Amino acid sequence: MKQLTLVVTCTDRKAAVPETELQARQLPAGPVKERATLWSERINSAAHTHSLAELYRGDHWTQARRLSEATAQAGFKADLWVASAGLGLQPVSASAPSYAATFSTRHADSVATTAEDGALWWSQLQEGTGRATLQELGKASPILLVLSETYAKAMEAELRALADVASEALLFGGVEVAGIQRVPADAGLRRILGGTLTSLNVRMAASWLQHCQDGQLTSTATSDSWNKWAATESRPEQHNRRPMTDEQVIAFIRKQTSSHPGISRTRLLRLLRDGGQACEQSRFATLYIKTMGKQ
């Protein structure tokens, strides 16, 4: 069975609340390289660690775990890796402390305010904590990546290097990189694939694997089969939602968590939107953390 390397982004939801010093918001001001070096030292010296497979939570991570099953059904042996703004590139078998760090610039634990600083942080983080580079993984086997645009921009130098060496490289979401076949996110497929927008790219990747022909990840036959299916099933989403103030979102979170103890943040956002109200995902995450005091 041919190996296929999977690379997915991490999630901000964790199984445990991170220690104060492992929240990016607590880093002192200063040059990106110095902050990234200090962060790596804190990660490497943390006393309590968790298996990455069990550390992450949420719809995106649930689907990422299931992606390995879809890989096996397509005739590949899955090797799952996680791209993290707090850890660099890590195999899912690794262990790490709970942490709060992201490339999303509007988040309280953002590690960078610009794309340039995000790229610099990633480079420095990889030196301090990363277990491999994308080009190293791409040399070993075909590679399938599921990345948000924000994370792909931070990792763009490695993506370009990957394109130079990979026999097959397929990217869901992300950004255009010459030499890597890309499948942009298509919200119109959410009707047929289900789930939240957070997990859409992972669900699209799993669907792609169902269309693989003769064990080829990026062959013309595979691409044509999936594109034909997607064109048939995609339906534009139409929303007429009412924007909300921060105070209204916080009041909604408090009311719903009181009525439904244990409800997930993903489910809360879905309830809000299903009620005809609007709140951007990263903004909702920040307000949820502010209200609930946890990831």
Side-chain angles (χ1 to χ4, degrees), residues 23 33 55 58 106 109 125 156 199 228 242 259 263 282:
Q23 299 175 19
K33 284 189 176 182
L55 176 62
R106 292 183 61 181
D109 290 303
L125 186 69
E156 192 166 355
S199 66
K228 181 179 179 180
R242 302 182 302 278
S259 302
I263 189 170
S282 63

Side-chain angles (χ1 to χ4, degrees), residues 3 54 69 105 140 156 190 214 225 227 233 246:
Q3 180 174 305
E54 302 301 327
E69 300 173 11
T105 56
E156 192 166 355
R190 199 154 68 104
D214 302 321
S225 176
N227 288 331
E233 297 294 345
D246 286 359

Side-chain angles (χ1 to χ4, degrees), residues 20 32 45 61 109 129 131-132 211 217 224 227 241 247 279 281 285:
T20 300
V32 173
S45 62
W61 187 245
D109 290 303
T129 63
R131 296 278 290 274
H211 292 264
L217 182 66
D224 288 348
N227 288 331
R241 295 174 175 146
E247 291 74 18
C279 184
Q281 183 174 310

Side-chain angles (χ1 to χ4, degrees), residues 78-110:
D79 184 19
L80 182 60
W81 286 69
V82 183
S84 163
L87 305 173
L89 197 55
Q90 300 284 334
V92 74
S93 58
S95 295
S98 183
Y99 64 93
T102 178
F103 287 115
S104 299
T105 56
R106 292 183 61 181
H107 197 284
D109 290 303
S110 178

Side-chain angles (χ1 to χ4, degrees), residues 27-257:
L27 285 170
V32 173
K33 284 189 176 182
E34 291 182 7
R35 295 171 72 247
T37 298
L38 175 59
W39 176 266
S40 294
E41 291 172 354
R42 291 180 176 181
I43 289 290
N44 291 330
S45 62
H48 303 290
T49 62
H50 311 262
S51 162
L52 292 188
E54 302 301 327
L55 176 62
Y56 299 117
R57 290 288 187 268
D59 186 38
H60 167 80
W61 187 245
T62 297
Q63 298 307 316
R65 297 284 299 271
R66 292 175 179 170
L67 186 59
S68 296
E69 300 173 11
T71 302
Q73 293 171 1
F76 296 97
K77 180 181 179 181
D79 184 19
L80 182 60
W81 286 69
V82 183
S84 163
L87 305 173
L89 197 55
Q90 300 284 334
V92 74
S93 58
S95 295
S98 183
Y99 64 93
T102 178
F103 287 115
S104 299
T105 56
R106 292 183 61 181
H107 197 284
D109 290 303
S110 178
V111 299
T113 57
T114 66
E116 292 76 14
D117 282 351
L120 187 57
W121 174 278
W122 177 259
S123 175
Q124 193 70 20
L125 186 69
Q126 280 283 73
E127 290 185 17
T129 63
R131 296 278 290 274
T133 63
L134 292 180
Q135 55 267 43
E136 289 170 344
L137 297 181
K139 287 179 180 179
S141 74
I143 184 169
L144 185 156
L145 308 103
V146 182
L147 304 174
S148 67
E149 179 180 354
T150 305
Y151 275 68
K153 285 182 177 179
M155 301 165 65
E156 192 166 355
E158 278 196 32
L159 287 168
R160 290 196 300 268
L162 169 67
D164 291 336
V165 300
S167 59
E168 290 187 279
L170 179 63
L171 170 63
F172 286 84
V175 295
E176 293 289 344
V177 176
I180 295 179
Q181 185 171 335
R182 177 178 178 242
V183 183
D186 181 358
L189 291 174
R190 199 154 68 104
R191 177 192 63 85
I192 188 68
L193 295 178
T196 65
L197 286 174
T198 304
S199 66
L200 177 61
N201 284 332
V202 187
R203 293 173 185 269
M204 288 174 58
S207 174
W208 179 282
L209 290 169
Q210 294 174 4
H211 292 264
C212 280
Q213 305 287 316
D214 302 321
Q216 299 299 310
L217 182 66
T218 59
S219 68
T220 299
T222 295
S223 299
D224 288 348
S225 176
W226 192 85
N227 288 331
K228 181 179 179 180
W229 170 83
T232 301
E233 297 294 345
S234 183
R235 299 286 188 277
E237 291 190 316
Q238 296 183 356
H239 303 296
N240 187 25
R241 295 174 175 146
R242 302 182 302 278
M244 303 175 71
T245 65
D246 286 359
E247 291 74 18
Q248 289 173 327
V249 174
I250 290 171
F252 171 87
I253 292 171
R254 286 174 174 164
K255 179 180 179 181
Q256 294 299 325
T257 53

